[in-house]
Structures are given as C-alpha cells and as structure tokens.
Amino acid sequence: MTRLTSLLLVASLTLFSAAAQAFDHSHAAWNTLLKQHVVVNAAGNASAVRYAALKKDRAPLKAYLDAVSAVTPADYASWPKPQQLAFLINAYNAYTVELILTRYPDLDSIKDLGSLFSSPWKQTFFTLLGQEESLDGIEHGRIRAAGAFDDPRIHAAVVCASIGCPMLRNEAFVAERLDTQLEDGMRRFLSDRSRNRFDAASNTLYVSKIFDWYADDFARGHRGFDSLQATFAHYAEALADTPEAAKKLRASAPKIEHLDYDWRLNDAR
C-alpha cells in the first residue's frame, strides 16, 4: 500500500466516523419527506403515503437511509435511550417505505413482497449498526427486546405500510418529544373507528389485531400498562364516543373482539 493510499484510507475512515458521530437527531431529512408525502385524514387519526411522488424523488430518502446506516454500534451505545428509540422507530418506518418503493406500483400490499416461505419483514435488505438487518430485526430484536425500552406504545409508532396499521405520522420521532409523540400516536390510533371502537350498548370493544398479537406487551407492567383492560381504560376517551360510554368502559370488563386487519397498501393514489 502506498503512502498516498494509506492517507486516503485514513481520511475516508475519519470522514465516515465523523459522519456517524454527527448524526442529525432532529431527523430533518426524514421529517421533510414525511411533511411532503404523508397525507393525514381530516380526523387526524389515519394517513396515506404518496408513494408515486416518493418514487420520482427517491434520492433524499436514500441519503437519509445512508446516514442511518453509517451510525456505528459505539455511537449508538453512547446515545441516551430516547435518542436510540427515536432512531430505531424512524429507521423502521423509512426502511419500510424504501421496501415498498422497490416494487411500487406493482403491488397491492406489503405482503406481495414476500411469499409462502419468505416474509417481507424477515428480508435482510439493509445495514444497521454494523450488521445486515431486517424490519423484524429492528422491531423484535431491538425495539421490543426485553429491557431495551419496554414501551408498548411503540405498536402505534412502527408502521407496516398498511391501512390496518397505525398512521404514519407526518413528522419524524425526536428524542425531546418522544414520550408526547408516542402517547399522541396511541390516542390517534384508538380514536380511529375503522380500527378501534367501543360499543357501549353491547359492552364490547372492537379493537385492532395488534392487541391480539402483542397482548403480552401491554400486560408486563411497563409504563404502567399491566393488562389490556387497564390499557383500554386508560384510553377510554379515545375509544368511546361519549363521556358516558367512556365511564362505562373504565368501570367494566368489556368483551373484546379483534377486527380483521386490512393489509392493503396505505397508498395516497
């Protein structure tokens, strides 16, 4: 190796390390894309994505994802927990959008990117924190890992590009407002009557399959969530249509029915 080559290698490594250390925790690039391409409904509790527009202007998304991938494990470990969690949620959502764009517009659902033997969530199509990673790896291996963050509200934050999912926010998650954003996301999700609702007449809660798939996450005592019943009581005003119905929900143990999950693409066509 020549001296010039050595100097260039050292310079490249220095720049790479500096880029990772200088990661923008405001997630400004991702935030701009969300502002431009996420359409929130009038009620403020559901959204769709302008994938066609994103497909035509994909470079900013790729640049943001390159910055995400450049973060080293050591840099990540040095961040406080709120910065880590905001980073992982944004990474999950941005890589999900990128996965959709690899096939768009020739798909009706994220499930079209998988097969009987291959889940789209298990595909390792990017690098994160120094290793080949999948969407499942971010959500289950990092965010939901025992002792990592222990916050079930993340289920209203990580979005699987489907109508049945909680809404993709039109802003990035950031550490200084993370708790407020997670709480707001839960309330918005539970206030969407196509996905969650309380029928006071029959004392029945019709809720998303998310609360079936991840019931244990809401029963472990994290963040004060020690049961599904307590969770629904806490968010009674979001689930019920009247103060009287909310009072009944908090005081009773309603029957729980899980609604069919709508896997159609959350496309703003």
Side-chain angles (χ1 to χ4, degrees):
M1 182 182 293
T2 66
R3 185 170 183 274
L4 177 59
T5 302
S6 298
L7 289 172
L8 289 173
L9 178 60
V10 170
S12 297
L13 291 173
T14 300
L15 288 172
F16 180 86
S17 177
Q21 292 172 4
F23 183 79
D24 178 13
H25 287 287
S26 74
H27 299 269
W30 178 231
N31 190 71
T32 297
L33 288 169
L34 292 170
K35 293 290 186 187
Q36 290 175 339
H37 300 297
V38 173
V39 182
V40 179
N41 72 353
N45 53 27
S47 69
V49 180
R50 295 189 179 105
Y51 291 109
L54 266 170
K55 183 89 170 183
K56 294 176 181 177
D57 187 25
R58 204 165 166 186
L61 175 60
K62 286 187 172 292
Y64 172 72
L65 292 176
D66 285 345
V68 168
S69 290
V71 173
T72 67
D75 291 328
Y76 174 83
S78 73
W79 300 343
K81 289 282 189 179
Q83 282 188 347
Q84 291 179 344
L85 183 53
F87 172 81
L88 292 175
I89 294 172
N90 288 327
Y92 183 98
N93 290 339
Y95 275 116
T96 297
V97 170
E98 172 64 15
L99 181 61
I100 295 300
L101 294 180
T102 63
R103 178 81 65 85
Y104 188 87
D106 300 320
L107 77 168
D108 297 313
S109 166
I110 189 172
K111 286 192 164 186
D112 293 341
L113 294 165
S115 67
L116 183 62
F117 304 103
S118 174
S119 164
W121 294 280
K122 295 186 183 302
Q123 295 179 19
T124 53
F125 66 96
F126 57 93
T127 300
L128 187 72
L129 301 176
Q131 69 179 55
E132 292 299 303
E133 190 59 281
S134 66
L135 294 175
D136 267 2
I138 297 179
E139 182 178 8
H140 307 308
R142 298 183 186 276
I143 296 177
R144 294 182 62 235
F149 304 104
D150 297 331
D151 193 332
R153 296 176 300 174
I154 61 94
H155 294 297
V158 292
V159 180
C160 59
S162 304
I163 292 173
C165 292
M167 64 178 280
L168 180 63
R169 296 178 75 86
N170 65 342
E171 65 174 8
F173 286 89
V174 290
E176 58 270 23
R177 293 191 292 115
L178 184 60
D179 186 71
T180 298
Q181 289 176 310
L182 291 173
E183 188 66 13
D184 179 65
M186 279 291 293
R187 293 187 181 279
R188 287 175 187 261
F189 180 50
L190 291 172
S191 70
D192 182 353
R193 295 294 171 259
S194 70
R195 294 175 291 189
N196 301 281
R197 58 183 180 272
F198 177 54
D199 182 353
S202 63
N203 198 34
T204 303
L205 262 173
Y206 296 93
V207 294
S208 168
K209 288 284 285 184
I210 285 174
F211 296 106
D212 180 23
W213 298 329
Y214 301 112
D216 288 349
D217 286 12
F218 291 92
R220 292 180 176 141
H222 302 317
R223 298 280 180 165
F225 296 95
D226 56 13
S227 70
L228 276 178
Q229 175 57 35
T231 297
F232 297 139
H234 178 75
Y235 295 106
E237 286 78 9
L239 285 159
D241 290 328
T242 66
E244 294 75 20
K247 182 178 180 180
K248 181 176 182 177
L249 175 54
R250 284 193 297 268
S252 64
K255 179 182 177 182
I256 295 177
E257 297 281 352
H258 296 102
L259 299 169
D260 290 337
Y261 207 78
D262 191 342
W263 287 107
R264 289 177 298 164
L265 188 65
N266 61 340
D267 191 6
R269 291 180 176 175

